[in-house]
Amino acid sequence: MKVEQIYTGCLAQGAYYIESNGEAAIIDPLREVKPYLEKAEKDNATIKYVLETHFHADFVSGHVDLAKASGATIVFGPNAKTTYDAYIAKDGEELKVGDVAIKVLHTPGHTMESTTYLLIDKNGKDHAIFSGDTLFIGDVGRPDLAAKSDLTQDQLAGHLFDSLRNKIMPLADDVIVYPAHGAGSACGKNMSKETTDTLGNQKKTNYALRTDMTKEEFIKEVTDGLTPPPSYFPLNVMMNKEGYDNIQNILEKGLQALTPEAFEAAANETGALVLDTRKTETFAAGFIPNAINIGIDGNFAPWVGTLIPDIKQHLLLVTDEGREEEVVTRLARVGYDYTIGYLKGSFDAWKQAGKEVDTISSITAETFANRFEQDNAIKVVDVRKPGEFQAEHVETAQSAPLDYLNEHLTELPKDETMYLHCAGGYRSMIAASILKARGYENVVNVEGGFKAIAETNVPKTAFVCPSTLK
């Protein structure tokens, strides 16, 4: 028996490969399915099942493409309804994979079709659970994503409490927990950076598994402090329910190399958004006017999903040379299938063609500290999350979280220089590019963000441990 966790850090997502005696099962695959096919081929195994723990909201699963490519059966738990062929398993049903079995444990709560898969080894011993968004390391799935008029988030949280108590917690302490997500995912609020643990340790350390916890306490704690989910979540759910275009077709459309002239014409004719995925410092030094910078070397896909509300938005890409396919693939993971081409030769080609360029002022934390010392009334805008801001911030800073930047535009002056910072510089450059595109000419990015500012003498509020904040 082989069990492999395939963890994708930029999505904080775990897919799983299980192989036994020439048969394999894949759980919650990413959209690009070639790596799973290659693993099975290397093991001389046939992929028998593609198991989905639920209709994912934060990424487009590869289950449809993988089933077509491998001949495998797509499996969901009870309550799932799809428009493509899938096997809807019964609660308690066992699926054979080589010499092992995978038992279906229906665990509604995060969503009503949520299912945990229990791996039973060839000796009949419970080995591991693939818990999807039912149980994370340090947390449980948020119960508000599937809330509808006939089922509130409190009712869903109640289902989750019952699922955990009746299906998960009775399992043995040495059972390994393999969740669908880790820290950084928006599907929970307190996830650990660890990507696996024993169930016994989770029973000791996970607040949601306290044995003396009442259902009412659970509902209150699980639903407390939830922020609105990104707008692309329901759109990804729809794609996972109804299917989608093949990833190869997306790549063929997206990997159209365009000269500067063709790129400019495409932008003008289609109204496409120019998405620049280069590093923040490279972008600041020169970019195509109105381009939005979301660097590929960060939490790229989640920020794209958060800041570009229409997944059918046409996109034109400026990337580092050689990374075009990676960018198109990572966009497709969250359902952005409408890339129509990229700038051949990247930004250097644009400059050499004599096209108009824009820049963003970027200064060190030391320079920022000097300017603050000379004038402590300068406008400082902190684009970190509310919890980060509440924990500690520059005394005079205004909070304008990047997630909700559009809601703060009326509070931000166009006629005054604004110094933007986040924690390390990634998010503030995204914010700066958005503001530039909306006509804010006087934006200055502080390099290194609050981490660098904290090393200066700029006055800051007293630190408050984030875990004590409500």
Side-chain angles (χ1 to χ4, degrees):
M1 178 177 71
K2 178 189 287 186
V3 179
E4 186 176 344
Q5 181 183 60
I6 307 161
Y7 199 77
T8 303
C10 61
L11 276 179
Q13 190 269 349
Y16 297 93
Y17 173 82
I18 302 166
E19 189 276 334
S20 172
N21 198 19
E23 292 186 335
I26 314 294
I27 301 178
D28 294 338
L30 284 186
R31 192 159 180 192
E32 65 274 24
V33 301
K34 193 175 176 184
Y36 311 113
L37 297 169
E38 290 175 344
K39 283 182 187 298
E41 184 177 4
K42 185 179 177 184
D43 289 339
N44 197 26
T46 299
I47 299 177
K48 188 174 182 181
Y49 295 116
V50 182
L51 303 167
E52 291 286 288
T53 55
H54 64 297
F55 292 120
H56 307 281
D58 58 332
F59 72 100
V60 178
S61 177
H63 55 310
V64 175
D65 277 351
L66 184 54
K68 287 179 182 173
S70 66
T73 299
I74 299 170
V75 179
F76 280 92
N79 292 338
K81 294 179 181 176
T82 68
T83 58
Y84 46 80
D85 289 339
Y87 179 69
I88 309 303
K90 298 179 179 63
D91 185 30
E93 182 174 352
E94 291 190 8
L95 307 169
K96 293 292 291 183
V97 178
D99 296 330
V100 304
I102 297 175
K103 187 173 183 178
V104 176
L105 303 178
H106 186 214
T107 50
H110 173 66
T111 62
M112 286 309 288
E113 80 285 356
S114 280
T115 294
T116 295
Y117 296 105
L118 171 63
L119 176 62
I120 303 169
D121 69 18
K122 65 180 181 181
N123 297 316
K125 184 179 186 303
D126 294 349
H127 177 77
I129 52 171
F130 303 88
S131 53
D133 287 19
T134 296
L135 176 63
F136 297 129
I137 307 305
D139 203 353
V140 292
R142 53 191 295 174
D144 60 318
L145 299 184
K148 296 177 181 176
S149 58
D150 58 341
L151 210 55
T152 68
Q153 68 176 25
D154 283 6
Q155 290 171 322
L156 284 161
H159 281 294
L160 184 57
F161 178 87
D162 293 336
S163 292
L164 292 165
R165 265 67 188 168
N166 300 331
K167 299 288 183 64
I168 303 294
M169 292 176 70
L171 297 172
D173 288 352
D174 63 352
V175 166
I176 302 168
V177 180
Y178 288 117
H181 294 295
S185 166
C187 292
K189 59 182 181 180
N190 190 37
M191 282 181 261
S192 167
K193 291 181 180 178
E194 302 299 322
T195 61
T196 184
D197 196 3
T198 63
L199 181 58
N201 198 45
Q202 283 303 293
K203 290 176 185 175
K204 294 176 184 173
T205 59
N206 190 324
Y207 75 97
L209 302 187
R210 292 199 311 268
T211 54
D212 61 349
M213 195 179 212
T214 66
K215 182 181 282 192
E216 289 70 27
E217 289 171 338
F218 177 88
I219 292 170
K220 184 175 185 304
E221 292 191 37
V222 166
T223 58
D224 185 45
L226 290 175
T227 55
S231 58
Y232 74 102
F233 271 27
L235 304 173
N236 276 195
V237 170
M238 192 64 68
M239 293 177 75
N240 285 321
K241 279 184 178 178
E242 299 184 355
Y244 42 73
D245 197 3
N246 183 279
I247 185 71
Q248 290 305 319
N249 295 337
I250 306 303
L251 288 169
E252 286 175 17
K253 288 187 290 185
L255 294 177
Q256 299 292 322
L258 302 173
T259 64
E261 290 72 23
F263 190 92
E264 187 174 44
N268 291 334
E269 291 170 8
T270 65
L273 186 152
V274 177
L275 181 61
D276 191 322
T277 65
R278 297 174 298 155
K279 294 181 185 301
T280 56
E281 59 270 25
T282 308
F283 176 83
F287 58 90
I288 297 173
N290 297 321
I292 302 301
N293 173 238
I294 304 179
I296 191 69
D297 294 320
N299 287 328
F300 174 71
W303 280 118
V304 167
T306 299
L307 298 170
I308 305 175
D310 182 6
I311 64 172
K312 294 185 178 179
Q313 168 71 53
H314 286 153
L315 299 172
L316 285 162
L317 303 178
V318 180
T319 76
D320 295 312
E321 286 194 86
R323 301 189 72 178
E324 301 86 6
E325 181 170 343
E326 177 188 358
V327 173
V328 175
T329 300
R330 288 173 66 175
L331 285 167
R333 285 178 184 167
V334 283
Y336 289 78
D337 291 354
Y338 291 83
T339 300
I340 57 176
Y342 69 90
L343 180 59
K344 184 179 180 182
S346 193
F347 185 69
D348 284 344
W350 183 267
K351 279 195 304 184
Q352 289 166 9
K355 302 289 185 183
E356 184 181 359
V357 302
D358 201 350
T359 60
I360 287 176
S361 296
S362 199
I363 61 173
T364 64
E366 290 74 22
T367 300
F368 170 70
N370 291 335
R371 293 187 187 180
F372 195 93
E373 187 173 9
Q374 294 169 14
D375 179 7
N376 59 19
I378 61 175
K379 184 71 174 177
V380 183
V381 178
D382 186 333
V383 302
R384 296 176 299 164
K385 292 183 180 297
E388 295 174 278
F389 182 82
Q390 290 168 27
E392 190 179 19
H393 59 265
V394 174
E395 278 189 353
T396 59
Q398 175 182 347
S399 175
L402 176 60
D403 316 47
Y404 312 108
L405 187 64
N406 286 337
E407 299 171 17
H408 290 272
L409 290 183
T410 57
E411 306 163 10
L412 303 178
K414 281 190 175 178
D415 57 352
E416 186 179 350
T417 298
M418 291 187 291
Y419 293 84
L420 307 181
H421 78 81
C422 57
Y426 180 80
R427 286 174 285 176
S428 60
M429 187 57 73
I430 298 173
S433 68
I434 292 172
L435 291 173
K436 266 276 190 173
R438 284 164 173 65
Y440 291 78
E441 292 298 326
N442 304 310
V443 293
V444 178
N445 179 59
V446 182
E447 298 168 1
F450 193 76
K451 288 177 186 170
I453 294 172
E455 301 298 319
T456 72
N457 58 4
V458 171
K460 295 166 281 287
T461 59
F463 176 75
V464 179
C465 181
S467 63
T468 66
L469 294 170
K470 286 289 183 183

